[in-house]
């Protein structure tokens, strides 16, 4: 069975850092683009970042550019999201998702695989 398991979420103060992980199984991870998509409480889904299958191309939403860094370890079937300088508005459920191409969209139906999410709360 295909699984995407996110971890690393939690409560952090504004200006703090967190590193999210997403570990995949059940499909050829190295052949897929990986993405992070988030959903703030009471709001819609927002695409955050994407990394190519080989990890050499990375794209970010303007709202996180310069603060978040995405990376991919194909040997570990894991993708990471290093989040620095966190803001209140970064509070959200963060999902990882797999796609066969660059797909800067937030609609889960557009993705091949979708995880269960990990909660990030930025609060003082």
């Amino acid at each position: 069975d295909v699984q995407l398991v996110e971890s690393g979420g939690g409560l952090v103060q504004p200006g703090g850092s967190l590193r999210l992980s997403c570990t995949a199984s059940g499909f050829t991870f190295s052949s897929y683009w990986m993405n992070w998509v988030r959903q703030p409480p009471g709001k819609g889904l927002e695409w955050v970042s994407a990394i190519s299958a080989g990890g050499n191309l990375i794209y970010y939403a303007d709202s996180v550019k310069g603060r978040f860094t995405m990376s991919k370890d194909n040997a570990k079937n894991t993708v990471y999201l290093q989040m620095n300088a966190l803001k209140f508005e970064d509070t959200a459920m963060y999902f990882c998702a797999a796609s066969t191409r660059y797909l800067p969209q937030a609609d889960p139906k557009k993705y091949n695989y979708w995880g269960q999410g990990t909660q990030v709360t930025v609060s003082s």
Side-chain angles (χ1 to χ4, degrees), residues 48 59-68:
V48 173
Y59 301 95
Y60 300 96
D62 287 343
S63 58
V64 306
K65 201 172 293 182
R67 300 187 298 121
F68 290 11

Side-chain angles (χ1 to χ4, degrees), residues 40-116:
K43 298 184 179 180
L45 291 162
E46 176 192 16
W47 173 81
V48 173
S49 61
I51 190 166
S52 61
N56 57 318
L57 298 173
I58 308 173
Y59 301 95
Y60 300 96
D62 287 343
S63 58
V64 306
K65 201 172 293 182
R67 300 187 298 121
F68 290 11
T69 302
M70 189 174 184
S71 59
K72 190 174 192 265
D73 188 337
N74 284 332
K76 295 183 178 180
N77 279 11
T78 300
V79 65
Y80 304 96
L81 186 67
Q82 177 66 44
M83 305 187 296
N84 298 329
L86 282 160
K87 305 176 181 180
F88 293 119
E89 52 264 40
D90 294 318
T91 294
M93 182 70 78
Y94 284 72
F95 301 92
C96 70
S99 58
T100 56
R101 58 187 176 89
Y102 177 48
L103 198 66
Q105 299 183 37
D107 183 355
K109 296 190 295 294
K110 301 287 188 181
Y111 290 93
N112 297 87
Y113 308 117
W114 187 270
Q116 293 300 306

